[in-house]
Amino acid sequence: MENLALYIHWPFCRSKCPYCDFNSHVRNQIDVVQWYQGFRRELTRTRQVTGPRKITSIFFGGGTPSLMPPELVEDILETASELWEFIPDIEITLEANPTSVEADKFSQLAQAGVNRLSIGVQSFNADALHFLGRQHSPGEAIHAIETAQRTVNRVTFDLIYARPHQTIDQWQQELTQALSFGTSHLSLYQLTIEPGTAFATQYKRGDFQLPQEEEGATLYETTLDLTHRYGLKAYEVSNYAQNGQESRHNLTYWRYQDYAGIGPGAHGRLTLSSGEKMATKQYRAPETWLTQVLQTGSGDDEIVALTQEEQAVEKILMGLRLNEPFDLSKLPVAWETIIHLPKLTLLTNEGFLDHTGSQIQATLKGRLCLNAVLSTLLQPAI
Ligand SMILES: C[S@@+](CC[C@H](N)C(=O)[O-])C[C@H]1O[C@@H](n2cnc3c(N)ncnc32)[C@H](O)[C@@H]1O
Ligand code: SF4
């Protein structure tokens, strides 16, 4: 059987950031013992589905997993290691917010088994952090990065750019500051307005504007240029790493390999011994998830067997995010059945895709509007 990646979702945050549409909730109290029981039961049930496999990576995402008691992280990891075999250099990432309270927990998290910290810095500018509704100061962000670097071997952090009024010069300065920490990985996202968020309402009301398309493109080119100069390769649309320091966990998604998603709203893709590939989705509301797991023994809200065509489409949607050639001949169906050929020629001629034989790859121009490229290419498959 294929190796497996595990995603664990912790759905709680101290406050809700106005740009965020992740499955995150604010609660006054959390019954940690019950949550541990929930994760333990769900891990055990998942093991029955996957059978024995080697685990290559585990990712605690959120929400804010750095708010989890380190003992809970340790218990979850111990349970997982009893159920599956861990490969010797397993990657165990935890998403952390950089308040000083959370940075103080990094060493306990490392003792629990976490060997990669992904910190939500977002900006080094106090006004920008205020605009983004963050709970930390630039000083706390710096302290968290330095603490993480002393604590675990692999540190990455996230920044959000293309913010209102942000000039190229300001972004260059901020990114240079980010690169000066010498982390082997960075995630650099352009601000997007997600439906249903507080920013969506404010943006619609005209409270702020985002950079125009051309400015966004220049900011992206600046990002590619500067990260390259510091030895980080753009291996995915928004992810930059030194060779060998890519997020192994996220590569599992983009290469369409198997992963189990555990926790409220988590998604999974699992190949069964019958060869079927299942798409799973857990109950989204935290309390519903916990009640379902504890009372019925399963947190799955949806389980669907994917057809070969659906798998091929998902494989392309994921694979084209990577800055490496994608081989259409390796799809489970003939690619002409899902790719709109005249559109492939058009997208290639217009410089959005490189296309040689059965290999395709998004160009820089294509990566700037990847969703539009993909929906054009896959019409009418999606
Ligand atoms: C799951 S969130 C990280 C959670 C963690 N609690 C935090 O806030 O750092 C992953 C990353 O996605 C990025 N992100 C989330 N919403 C975004 C948006 N609307 N536009 C751009 N980046 C976004 C942020 O950089 C964030 O750190
Ligand atoms: S960005 Fe992070 S801290 Fe803010 S609400 Fe989303 S998950 Fe929570």
Side-chain angles (χ1 to χ4, degrees):
M1 291 295 278
E2 238 187 76
N3 288 344
L4 187 67
L6 271 188
Y7 174 79
I8 309 281
H9 190 79
W10 182 253
F12 303 116
C13 295
R14 224 179 245 126
S15 59
K16 185 80 188 174
C17 305
Y19 56 86
C20 173
D21 77 339
F22 284 84
N23 189 23
S24 58
H25 307 262
V26 179
R27 296 285 183 269
N28 288 333
Q29 266 197 325
I30 294 153
D31 185 336
V32 174
V33 174
Q34 278 220 332
W35 276 87
Y36 172 60
Q37 284 164 356
F39 281 118
R40 186 178 173 84
R41 276 194 83 167
E42 196 50 12
L43 284 163
T44 309
R45 185 191 66 82
T46 304
R47 166 66 173 77
Q48 285 161 10
V49 178
T50 65
R53 307 255 195 129
K54 286 190 181 153
I55 305 278
T56 46
S57 65
I58 300 180
F59 194 101
F60 289 87
T64 309
S66 49
L67 294 177
M68 292 169 85
E71 300 76 29
L72 176 59
V73 173
E74 190 171 1
D75 287 345
I76 290 173
L77 290 174
E78 204 174 297
T79 303
S81 71
E82 287 160 10
L83 294 165
W84 292 277
E85 181 185 339
F86 286 7
I87 63 159
D89 65 338
I90 184 167
E91 172 188 283
I92 303 179
T93 306
L94 182 134
E95 275 180 350
N97 282 21
T99 69
S100 45
V101 179
E102 286 153 280
D104 285 349
K105 282 157 80 180
F106 288 173
S107 66
Q108 277 174 284
L109 289 165
Q111 272 163 29
V114 170
N115 55 26
R116 185 170 179 271
L117 282 164
S118 170
I119 307 173
V121 169
Q122 317 311 354
S123 174
F124 290 108
N125 176 291
D127 290 341
L129 288 175
H130 178 71
F131 169 72
L132 294 169
R134 301 294 289 178
Q135 300 271 319
H136 63 271
S137 63
E140 283 181 303
I142 293 166
H143 173 71
I145 298 167
E146 289 173 349
T147 308
Q149 286 181 309
R150 282 195 302 272
T151 316
V152 289
N153 280 339
R154 297 173 70 193
V155 177
T156 176
F157 59 91
D158 300 352
L159 293 180
I160 297 181
Y161 69 106
R163 306 183 301 254
H165 310 299
Q166 190 181 25
T167 64
I168 308 274
D169 276 358
Q170 283 166 347
W171 172 232
Q172 255 176 345
Q173 267 181 33
E174 196 171 6
L175 184 54
T176 305
Q177 183 177 1
L179 289 159
S180 69
F181 288 95
T183 60
S184 55
H185 190 286
L186 285 178
S187 298
L188 307 168
Y189 303 105
Q190 295 210 359
L191 177 62
T192 57
I193 303 300
E194 302 299 333
T197 58
F199 267 8
T201 314
Q202 294 168 22
Y203 183 67
K204 216 163 134 198
R205 222 167 39 203
D207 290 0
F208 63 84
Q209 267 114 44
L210 291 181
Q212 299 289 307
E213 209 173 286
E214 246 179 60
E215 264 177 277
T218 313
L219 285 163
Y220 190 55
E221 279 166 35
T222 304
T223 309
L224 290 174
D225 196 41
L226 211 50
T227 47
H228 180 75
R229 268 193 262 157
Y230 279 77
L232 300 190
K233 201 179 80 189
Y235 71 102
E236 192 264 354
V237 179
S238 310
N239 283 280
Y240 303 79
Q242 288 169 2
N243 276 335
Q245 293 299 313
E246 299 84 0
S247 159
R248 192 192 294 161
H249 187 84
N250 287 344
L251 281 175
T252 303
Y253 301 153
W254 297 319
R255 295 196 173 137
Y256 206 53
Q257 292 154 344
D258 271 16
Y259 59 96
I262 290 169
H267 291 253
R269 290 291 179 277
L270 293 173
T271 312
L272 305 183
S273 50
S274 60
E276 271 184 314
K277 184 132 179 164
M278 312 302 291
T280 64
K281 189 174 168 218
Q282 303 239 290
Y283 290 100
R284 190 171 163 86
E287 290 74 21
T288 311
W289 180 84
L290 191 57
T291 312
Q292 286 291 329
V293 172
L294 295 178
Q295 289 183 0
T296 71
S298 170
D300 273 346
D301 185 18
E302 285 173 31
I303 315 169
V304 183
L306 296 168
T307 64
Q308 301 281 314
E309 283 76 17
E310 285 168 334
Q311 290 178 46
V313 168
E314 286 196 342
K315 230 176 164 170
I316 295 176
L317 288 174
M318 288 300 179
L320 276 197
R321 300 191 64 83
L322 288 171
N323 203 1
E324 63 189 23
F326 182 92
D327 192 348
L328 292 168
S329 71
K330 300 227 169 90
L331 290 173
V333 293
W335 56 273
E336 295 85 349
T337 59
I338 51 163
I339 285 204
H340 200 257
L341 276 177
K343 292 283 166 66
L344 173 58
T345 310
L346 186 78
L347 288 167
T348 309
N349 290 343
E350 295 203 348
F352 292 101
L353 289 176
D354 284 332
H355 173 210
T356 321
S358 64
Q359 312 263 346
I360 57 170
Q361 184 169 351
T363 59
L364 192 159
K365 187 175 166 186
R367 274 183 280 147
L368 274 165
C369 53
L370 192 60
N371 290 343
V373 169
L374 287 166
S375 61
T376 307
L377 185 69
L378 293 166
Q379 259 170 2
I382 51 172

